[in-house]
Amino acid sequence: MSKYKLFLLRHGEGNWNKENRFCSWVDQKLSEDGVKEAQDCGRLLKEQGYKFDLVFTSILSRSIQTAWLVLEAMGQEWVPVVKSWRLNERHYGSLIGLNRAEMALQHGEEKVKRWRRSYDITPPPIDESHPYFLEIYNDRRYSTCDVAKENLPRAESLKEVLDRLLPYWGSTVVPEIRKGRTVLISAHGNSCRALLKHLEGISDADIASVTLPTGIPVLLELDENLKPVKPRQLLGDQAKIQAAIKKVEDQGKAKPST
């Protein structure tokens, strides 16, 4: 029997999502379409009668902005928003800033898919010569983390995302859910996928085929042990959701230049 409801949300489309680039820890705002996705998500949740008690986000602007827009559309701006780097997107290392389709053309679709979707393959690490290294590691937000800046990731597999996310989940999010609070996690494709893997017991192989489109809320109904009592529900127009999933999956396909 369902005891708790948990909502996961991949932020609305960011500017680099639109350009099909690996965004990762580079701080990007939502695109115009991303703003609309977040607002539409909030309206949908309001129409369905949901009310949040607490929202968790990463410390990246696109995650925070999505949470604000959702709450505004729901008329629930007062709901507390708690931020942590542990909900950040996966760190894509030296791939940050590169175009996925161009990478697929250069390295092959299968290799890019393994970099993007596999559980335990870590991309090449970022180093100080990378054009976005200083933009990330000189950002003041990373001096607020619960680990020293020099110990923050330089690249991550999905497994490593889960490893840094789980302590926060257990110490901070779970106690709020157990209090009976309805929680929204407004995060990123990979931090949400990592949490889904943990909660649903998805295998290392099967997680590669789990795709979350931007701006689509995912409802998990959990029992007293925080185990799902039914399959996850992607809320909204199912035909549009399937089209959005295909769009995400096609990002890693090679597109020859014309």
Side-chain angles (χ1 to χ4, degrees), residues 136-140 142-143 147-154:
I136 294 170
Y137 293 100
N138 280 357
D139 192 314
R140 191 164 66 94
Y142 292 108
S143 64
V147 297
K149 195 180 287 189
E150 58 268 22
N151 294 329
L152 289 170
R154 297 291 189 264

Side-chain angles (χ1 to χ4, degrees), residues 32-52:
E32 284 185 22
D33 287 344
V35 168
K36 184 175 184 301
E37 286 175 352
Q39 291 170 332
D40 288 347
C41 174
R43 283 191 281 267
L44 173 73
L45 292 167
K46 182 179 181 180
E47 285 166 8
Q48 297 195 2
Y50 293 114
K51 295 179 173 63
F52 295 125

